[in-house]
Amino acid sequence: QVQLVESGGGLVQPGGSLRLSCVASGSIFSINAMSWYRQALGKQRELVAIIFSGSSTDYADSVKGRFTISRDNAKNTVYLQMNSLKPEDTAVYYCNFRNWVESKYDYWGQGTQVTVSS
């Protein structure tokens, strides 16, 4: 069983930066994609950034050039560096580890709140 724990969220002013971390416990040998999602109040959950086992990445258009996803395999950790934050980035951010072929390998963290406000 895999457990994911996010950290690093908080309140930040527009234009500021935050670095989110997600640490996994348990075996993640079956995981081939690590990602960050977010869900703003009253809106659908959306994919923000993803990194695959081959280290390729993809981002939502709304965050390209501002957010960077990375991982540290030795620490079973995925990061999301968020720069130039905007009020519309306000949401609960969730990390997700999954296998794109085998759906039973699909794990979510509890979420961490990011609030961008002056």
Side-chain angles (χ1 to χ4, degrees):
Q1 185 71 24
V2 174
Q3 299 266 22
L4 305 180
V5 179
E6 301 101 333
S7 63
L11 176 65
V12 65
Q13 293 183 339
S17 297
L18 286 173
R19 180 179 168 91
L20 306 183
S21 299
C22 177
V23 180
S25 61
S27 177
I28 59 170
F29 73 96
S30 296
I31 299 301
N32 59 22
M34 303 175 183
S35 60
W36 288 94
Y37 287 73
R38 68 186 181 188
Q39 187 166 21
L41 190 64
K43 296 186 177 181
Q44 292 182 300
R45 188 173 299 186
E46 64 174 343
L47 178 66
V48 175
I50 188 166
I51 184 166
F52 297 98
S53 60
S55 297
S56 62
T57 59
D58 199 11
Y59 298 89
D61 288 341
S62 60
V63 307
K64 285 181 179 177
R66 299 189 297 121
F67 291 10
T68 303
I69 188 170
S70 61
R71 67 172 186 248
D72 186 333
N73 290 335
K75 297 180 179 179
N76 286 348
T77 301
V78 63
Y79 304 95
L80 185 67
Q81 179 67 45
M82 305 186 294
N83 298 325
S84 301
L85 283 161
K86 305 174 180 179
E88 50 263 44
D89 296 317
T90 296
V92 177
Y93 284 71
Y94 300 89
C95 66
N96 172 248
F97 287 24
R98 71 174 57 158
N99 185 299
W100 274 93
V101 178
E102 300 184 69
S103 61
K104 68 178 180 179
Y105 302 113
D106 188 359
Y107 308 101
W108 292 88
Q110 293 293 315
T112 185
Q113 182 179 328
V114 172
T115 302
V116 184
S117 176
S118 60

